[in-house]
Amino acid sequence: MLKNDIFLRALLKQPVEYTPVWIMRQAGRYLPEYRAIRQKAGSFMSLCKNKTLACEVALQPLQRFNLDAAILFSDILTIPDAMGLGLHFETGEGPIFRYPVRDIKAVRSLEIPDSEDALSYVTDAVSLIKKTLNGSVPLIGFSGSPWTLATYMVEGKSTKEFKLIKGLMYNEPETVHLLLEKLAAAVTDYLNAQIRHGADVVQIFDTWGGILTPEAYREFSLQYMERIIKGLIRQREGREIPVILFTKNSGLWLEAIVKAGATTVGLDWTINMADARRRIGDKVSLQGNMDPCLLYASPTRIRQEVKKILHDFSDGGKIKTGHVFNLGHGVHPGVNPDNVCAMVDAVHEFSQ
Ligand code: CP3
């Protein structure tokens, strides 16, 4: 039994006493206690692969803030790593793949990893975090979307231009489709394994879907997320497993996104919450969407913004279910944890 299931109730539009809140990338470098464990682990990937440390790090933000959900500590790039692309993280540069995938031959030779085997360090972390939480709050599992994973696998690193992946998409769409098909199968298996091991909710991070044209978004990103959602375990022990779909920069396409079948649509800060609610709020619940840069402002300014977003989702000031408060993207490494605390407490205070 969960002691605090308000997050699940808000996702499922069941009655709530206040608006629940969690933060994308809530366990990370903005916390000094994270930096200490990260240093002890030696590298980011060895931290992810050590279930005891991964569990400790996942619980750190819950010890500091009054959050309504925990998230698995891992990364979206675990799947390409398990496919043999040789992932490592360079300080200040982000992820690097030693063997990027850039032609049909390389895509054909990719094998879909068995999550219970090649990714058992992730499912082990899920089990341990779930057990350690001891029912205090729900646990979120996650994966990248096929398109977002493909951008890293083709580029071989983070990019601002998307030259290689977009070049390949326009020149050889069938190569990219084969890659996305394999990734959709891998993600479905991976998320189902996380659900079997204890994830109460799963979120698909489509960080780079919003760089596509509207047509390409449907063809190369949304279609595959819809396929994944259809293949997910949606019930466990009599409880529904909600699915959150987050595409950054997707405000123009909300009506299309709803059709993918997720329980909840995650919003970035480029769309107004009242507009989003009016457009799709009768079909799905919404998550978001404070600009992460507000955490660089004062607690007074942060509280003002929290109040505004809550008000935008409400019925003329009366709080409604169907909203989970979050940032519009991950928390930045440079923010002061005290400001995060101000945000979390303001959400609870203003939504009672
Ligand atoms: O939310 C959480 O607290 C859970 C952990 C989590 C991480 N990454 C840990 C992490 C989650 C949910 C992710 C998702 C992720 N990873 C995404 C999608 C969300 C988003 O932010 O857009 C993406 C694109 C990645 C890929 C990735 N991982 C990049 C590009 C980088 C380097 C840039 C950066 O933000 O550091 C990472 C590294 C990473 N993933 C860190 C953490 C805590 C920092 C690693 C370190 O300690 O040096």
Side-chain angles (χ1 to χ4, degrees):
M1 271 300 283
L2 282 165
K3 292 178 199 95
N4 172 1
D5 67 347
I6 192 160
F7 169 58
L8 299 180
R9 281 186 276 131
L11 294 174
L12 296 169
K13 295 192 182 186
Q14 294 163 1
V16 291
E17 309 79 69
Y18 58 85
T19 303
V21 52
W22 70 281
I23 307 161
M24 289 192 273
R25 308 285 292 264
Q26 63 193 23
R29 284 161 299 181
Y30 75 106
L31 293 176
E33 58 271 34
Y34 168 84
R35 296 195 297 269
I37 295 202
R38 160 80 170 69
Q39 195 172 8
K40 189 164 118 190
S43 73
F44 171 63
M45 281 315 283
S46 32
L47 176 51
C48 291
K49 290 183 180 179
N50 179 325
K51 68 176 175 191
T52 314
L53 294 183
C55 176
E56 199 175 331
V57 161
L59 298 188
Q60 284 176 342
L62 290 111
Q63 277 141 16
R64 257 190 198 253
F65 317 118
N66 210 349
L67 296 161
D68 296 293
I71 180 163
L72 160 69
F73 188 80
S74 189
D75 198 74
I76 64 165
L77 300 178
T78 49
I79 288 181
D81 186 46
M83 286 175 147
L85 272 68
L87 172 66
H88 62 281
F89 283 82
E90 302 267 311
T91 324
E93 280 189 56
I96 314 267
F97 284 115
R98 195 165 300 124
Y99 310 108
V101 171
R102 293 184 178 152
D103 55 36
I104 188 72
K105 194 164 154 270
V107 172
R108 283 208 184 105
S109 65
L110 287 176
E111 284 183 34
I112 297 161
D114 176 351
S115 298
E116 300 276 3
D117 182 15
L119 290 157
S120 60
Y121 68 90
V122 177
T123 51
D124 285 350
V126 171
S127 301
L128 183 62
I129 298 166
K130 177 74 179 174
K131 190 173 143 226
T132 311
L133 282 170
N134 193 23
S136 52
V137 288
L139 174 61
I140 305 166
F142 71 90
S143 170
S145 72
W147 168 257
T148 294
L149 295 177
T151 63
Y152 289 100
M153 292 170 75
V154 172
E155 298 285 341
K157 57 181 171 57
S158 297
T159 170
K160 288 200 171 81
E161 257 182 292
F162 301 93
K163 181 174 146 192
L164 300 175
I165 179 72
K166 281 200 168 183
L168 193 65
M169 176 184 83
Y170 287 123
N171 279 327
E172 291 179 41
E174 60 293 343
T175 301
V176 174
H177 277 303
L178 182 63
L179 174 57
L180 295 170
E181 264 167 42
K182 289 189 172 191
L183 286 169
V187 169
T188 308
D189 181 67
Y190 186 55
L191 290 176
N192 279 337
Q194 292 180 32
I195 294 168
R196 279 195 301 274
H197 284 261
D200 301 292
V201 180
V202 290
Q203 172 156 325
I204 302 172
F205 284 90
D206 187 29
T207 305
W208 301 121
I211 63 154
L212 292 164
T213 65
E215 297 75 21
Y217 174 67
R218 283 175 181 69
E219 183 181 342
F220 291 91
S221 189
L222 190 60
Q223 183 195 168
Y224 292 96
M225 296 193 287
E226 183 174 357
R227 204 180 285 188
I228 291 164
I229 293 168
K230 285 206 174 84
L232 292 180
I233 299 167
R234 296 301 291 274
Q235 288 273 341
R236 194 190 56 214
E237 294 155 13
R239 204 189 251 286
E240 186 170 342
I241 307 284
V243 181
I244 306 168
L245 194 165
F246 170 71
T247 294
K248 191 166 161 240
N249 238 297
S250 64
L252 293 170
W253 312 326
L254 296 183
E255 290 78 6
I257 291 175
V258 161
K259 296 191 185 123
T263 321
T264 308
V265 172
L267 305 169
D268 75 7
W269 63 93
T270 61
I271 175 151
N272 171 273
M273 186 51 88
D275 287 343
R277 189 195 141 189
R278 188 174 32 73
R279 283 169 56 192
I280 58 168
D282 57 331
K283 300 193 180 68
V284 289
S285 44
L286 298 176
Q287 178 176 280
N289 68 344
M290 192 173 95
D291 180 354
C293 289
L294 262 145
L295 294 176
Y296 292 129
S298 66
T300 309
R301 182 66 189 86
I302 292 167
R303 286 169 60 81
Q304 193 186 356
E305 191 72 10
V306 166
K307 200 175 204 171
K308 182 207 164 283
I309 294 169
L310 289 171
H311 191 270
D312 281 345
F313 189 86
S314 73
D315 275 333
K318 198 169 158 281
I319 290 302
K320 257 177 64 81
T321 186
H323 180 208
V324 169
F325 198 97
N326 205 316
L327 297 176
H329 196 199
V331 53
H332 294 306
V335 313
N336 179 344
D338 293 343
N339 289 0
V340 174
C341 191
M343 180 193 91
V344 171
D345 289 348
V347 175
H348 289 149
E349 181 187 327
F350 293 136
S351 66
Q352 300 268 342

